[in-house]
Amino acid sequence: MTLRRKALPTTLAFVKTIDLRSDTVTRPTQPMRDAMASAEVGDDVYGEDPTINELQRRAAELMGKQAGLYVPSGTLGNQASIHSLTHPGDVVLASVGAHVLVYESGAASAVSGVQIQTLGREETGVFEPEDLISALTPNEAHFAPHRLVTIENTHNRAGGRIFPFETLQAVTTTARKHELGLHLDGARLLHAVVATGIPAHRWAEPFDTVTFCLSKGLGAPVGSVICGDHDTLMLVHRARKMLGGGMRQAGILAAAGIYALDHNIDRLADDHAHARRLADGLEDLGLTVRSKPETNMVMFEVDDTTAFVAAMKTRSLLINAVDASRLRAVTHLEIAKEDIDDALGRISEILNEGIR
Ligand code: TLP
């Protein structure tokens, strides 16, 4: 049998992949890799990795807390915190669409035996003190105890929305009045810091535990840090060990985190500007943008996300669907202004083909 070869086009135009699926896709730059390669390391389970210790100190200082603990992921950071601040059977209050509920494989119930009750509206990711108060139940045998409130800032499914500072103060004060613990899923807290100019330690102040990610907009390949006081972090440390999150010579990873803190915070403002440019361009093309981007995400609507995602993929444009009619584009340090314009051009072609 003779095999027929497919004729190759004489010229192959290079089409750059524009990856707006998430800011998690960023790869370490050469200077970040250099910092990783020369990091001093030790066994962190003995607390002897000097680079991890330095990252934890820096993170705690940034968040205005006594201590920090390096963990492999934001998910582990959230779940170790929840585990440390609750008992099985407790209720955890969180916003509608919270990452701890939607995107962590049911870990809060599987690992900590807690139930999550949602508050507010997914469009904003925000809830008010009244929402919290009306969720509370009497201290009586029928009811599971409400133990913890988690706030997600910025809020992923709300399109990178910032939990307004005054509302956050009001909600956390109300939570304390009712003797509830407080956890902040600050995977992208530094985006809120850059967008508002309010320092991280002020956002973090009311919380028992704060998790923030180095591996998203900050551009490190791996890692998050949980910050809190010494006593709480003793519990969190045990939970990290239980969940298999204790690493050994992970200073080579932590070095990327230190590099990110030194070099990649202020530049988040560029990502926010790119998100606004993308949102404006999409509206000019006649598409509906859910709300003006406050940070690095753009939520926009199409009739059929499956068809639209497939059409974008054939043009080397990667954007994830959130549901049947909503797409989420995330800007990050590998995306330049020209890439936004290029992405808009490719979307315009798709719309011209009648795909919506
Ligand atoms: N979010 C990812 C996906 O899981 C959806 C993304 O692409 O945005 N908290 C928040 C608010 C997050 O957005 C994420 C990641 C996490 C926690 C978990 O972080 P990792 O992925 O490090 O476990």
Side-chain angles (χ1 to χ4, degrees), residues 22 24 73-75 78 99 103-104 152 156 185 187-188 213 215-216 328:
S22 182
T24 59
S73 68
T75 299
N78 283 334
H99 198 279
Y103 292 116
E104 300 188 8
E152 187 173 314
N156 187 339
D185 177 355
R188 297 184 182 83
C213 292
S215 61
K216 307 210 159 44
R328 181 193 74 160

Side-chain angles (χ1 to χ4, degrees), residues 112-163:
S112 301
V114 296
Q115 330 176 46
I116 297 185
Q117 184 177 346
T118 55
L119 303 176
R121 291 181 307 124
E122 188 175 273
E123 296 84 77
T124 61
V126 173
F127 52 90
E128 306 286 333
E130 306 78 68
D131 299 321
L132 201 159
I133 290 166
S134 60
L136 298 176
T137 47
N139 184 9
E140 196 253 282
H142 283 86
F143 302 104
H146 287 82
R147 186 81 58 195
L148 177 70
V149 176
T150 74
I151 288 182
E152 187 173 314
N153 192 21
T154 64
H155 196 284
N156 187 339
R157 279 181 78 92
R161 291 282 280 263
I162 299 167
F163 207 101

Side-chain angles (χ1 to χ4, degrees), residues 36 58 63 86 94-95 105 112 115 120 180 218 222 237 250 256 265 279 281 295 311 330 350-351:
M36 296 169 76
R58 289 277 306 272
M63 296 295 153
T86 59
S95 56
S105 291
S112 301
Q115 330 176 46
L180 301 171
L218 296 184
V222 177
H237 199 155
I265 296 180
T295 56
V330 187
I350 294 167
L351 294 171

Side-chain angles (χ1 to χ4, degrees), residues 312-323:
M312 289 191 292
K313 206 168 169 194
T314 61
R315 289 171 171 79
S316 304
L317 175 60
L318 308 180
I319 297 180
N320 277 344
V322 178
D323 54 38

